[in-house]
Amino acid sequence: MRKISRMAVLIPGGLLAAAVFVSGCTSLAGQSASTPPGPAVGVASAGGAAGSESGAGAEVVAADIHTVDIAVDLEFAENNGGWMVSYVEGKWDDSSMGAPHPISAGGPALVAELAPDVQLLSPFEGAEPTAEPQLDSEGLGVVPITLDDFVQQNNQSAKIWFDESGQVTKIAARYQP
């Protein structure tokens, strides 16, 4: 199995491009439209689910959005010393006989900058889940962890909080047994 990494790059003029790295090769996965003046979150497709290299459309999210209850397909990338997260808004799927689980709502991949003091919460400590999950009443993790550990856990759905400038201030991973 090949490892796929994605990176968001800010291009002068307000464009945001996402590159996909597969076993050392680079290909352009998508490019956003220019962002409007004022504080807003730029958005570009990062290729969707792991293993996919096709890009979707780009979109801009207004800065007045303060939470995304279900974000899926989370991916992180470093950008000029800061970090970005890409995600797709999701919804609950209860169509199967199993427990409801989050899935993509079919919209574009969105990209937002992480605040320097972003709080990352997981159901587990460290990079590898080893103990019983620690959850709140919404099924969100409550254990503070580092960005490196959060990325290593490969959390595929979460709740995301934004500040008034559109930066991500908190991400709490959803527990999915």
Side-chain angles (χ1 to χ4, degrees):
M1 177 180 348
R2 295 184 294 175
K3 181 175 179 171
I4 297 177
S5 300
R6 291 179 171 83
M7 174 183 285
V9 180
L10 189 59
I11 299 172
L15 297 178
L16 185 67
V20 178
F21 298 95
V22 181
S23 302
C25 299
T26 306
S27 68
L28 187 62
Q31 189 171 355
S32 78
S34 61
T35 53
V41 180
V43 198
S45 170
S52 170
E53 293 186 45
S54 62
E59 185 145 333
V60 175
V61 176
D64 61 352
I65 295 177
H66 295 288
T67 62
V68 173
D69 286 328
I70 302 174
V72 298
D73 299 333
L74 279 75
E75 296 182 23
F76 295 87
E78 192 167 7
N79 183 30
N80 293 330
W83 282 88
M84 309 288 281
V85 61
S86 71
Y87 62 94
V88 176
E89 288 192 43
K91 62 183 179 179
W92 286 111
D93 178 7
D94 58 1
S95 62
S96 69
M97 298 301 275
H101 58 281
I103 61 167
S104 171
L110 308 174
V111 177
E113 183 179 353
L114 298 183
D117 59 347
V118 64
Q119 183 180 18
L120 301 169
L121 302 171
S122 171
F124 305 100
E125 288 185 35
E128 297 288 326
T130 57
E132 288 295 316
Q134 298 179 40
L135 309 172
D136 67 8
S137 61
E138 293 183 69
L140 300 170
V142 296
V143 179
I145 62 172
T146 66
L147 177 60
D148 287 339
D149 286 345
F150 198 90
V151 171
Q152 289 295 316
Q153 286 184 10
N154 199 26
N155 295 301
Q156 288 300 302
S157 66
K159 184 171 183 176
I160 300 177
W161 288 261
F162 301 90
D163 64 13
E164 54 281 342
S165 69
Q167 286 188 329
V168 175
T169 58
K170 181 177 171 181
I171 301 176
R174 292 194 174 280
Y175 177 64
Q176 293 175 236

